[in-house]
Amino acid sequence: MALEKSSQNSSELELLSFRLADEEYSVDIMSVREIRGWTRATPLPHAPHHVRGVINLRGTVLPVVDLSVRLGMEPVEGDARNVIIVVQVGTQTAGLLVNAVSDILALPRTELQPPPELAADCAHSFIEALTIVDGRMIRVLDLAAVLPDDNAEAA
């Protein structure tokens, strides 16, 4: 899991927070490779509905996941205000289409709480932890669960 990575100070964690609709999410900043402006993705036949398509990232074909759709929400519009967060988990790299990047948060790992056990919550398996920052509830994503594993077929 991303949150178990050791950093210089293992008691503190840095997260990149971003917005999807009116909700705030975050990912471990150690898995973020870059943040790009909106780029229209080339659709692929038979791709899962949450995969917008692929973009060319300096000669590499990068799948773009509409994170809102992946989490069961309305799709991101895909305009100049949106961004693509390029993330890497292990050998898998993908772009996450989000409404906007909010902040970089540094907080003690002790402030992370496990999500409640809610069987009806379809996005529950994508949430690794919850935290409250300045009165805002921020969800920490489990990137390994979010990313499409279509690349496994190519191996």
Side-chain angles (χ1 to χ4, degrees), residues 11-57:
S11 65
E12 201 166 273
L13 177 68
E14 286 191 337
L15 300 171
L16 177 70
S17 68
F18 53 88
R19 299 199 65 74
L20 290 173
D22 293 329
E23 299 179 10
E24 202 160 353
Y25 290 83
S26 66
V27 293
D28 185 338
I29 202 158
M30 296 305 293
S31 56
V32 175
R33 296 295 156 246
E34 66 181 270
I35 299 169
R36 298 177 50 91
W38 161 246
T39 303
R40 182 171 300 284
T42 303
L44 294 176
H46 307 293
H49 72 284
H50 60 271
V51 177
R52 274 283 176 102
V54 294
I55 60 172
N56 178 356
L57 181 67

Side-chain angles (χ1 to χ4, degrees), residues 129-145:
L130 299 167
T131 188
I132 297 173
V133 176
D134 298 330
R136 305 179 331 254
M137 177 73 67
I138 299 177
R139 300 150 193 91
V140 181
L141 289 179
D142 178 357
L143 283 177

Side-chain angles (χ1 to χ4, degrees), residues 4-138:
E4 293 173 3
K5 288 182 181 175
S6 61
S7 61
Q8 284 208 272
N9 182 355
S10 62
S11 65
E12 201 166 273
L13 177 68
E14 286 191 337
L15 300 171
L16 177 70
S17 68
F18 53 88
R19 299 199 65 74
L20 290 173
D22 293 329
E23 299 179 10
E24 202 160 353
Y25 290 83
S26 66
V27 293
D28 185 338
I29 202 158
M30 296 305 293
S31 56
V32 175
R33 296 295 156 246
E34 66 181 270
I35 299 169
R36 298 177 50 91
W38 161 246
T39 303
R40 182 171 300 284
T42 303
L44 294 176
H46 307 293
H49 72 284
H50 60 271
V51 177
R52 274 283 176 102
V54 294
I55 60 172
N56 178 356
L57 181 67
R58 293 181 296 282
T60 301
V61 176
L62 184 75
V64 176
V65 174
D66 186 330
L67 200 49
S68 287
V69 173
R70 183 72 168 135
L71 299 178
M73 299 184 283
E74 291 296 314
V76 172
E77 288 295 319
D79 60 33
R81 296 172 303 192
N82 302 137
V83 296
I84 296 173
I85 302 171
V86 179
V87 295
Q88 183 171 2
V89 176
T91 60
Q92 188 174 14
T93 304
L96 303 177
L97 177 60
V98 302
N99 291 101
V101 170
S102 303
D103 206 354
I104 295 176
L105 307 168
L107 48 105
R109 290 179 188 271
T110 56
E111 290 186 18
L112 297 176
Q113 300 174 30
E117 297 291 330
L118 301 174
D121 181 7
C122 67
H124 171 72
S125 61
F126 298 132
I127 306 300
E128 192 168 357
L130 299 167
T131 188
I132 297 173
V133 176
D134 298 330
R136 305 179 331 254
M137 177 73 67
I138 299 177

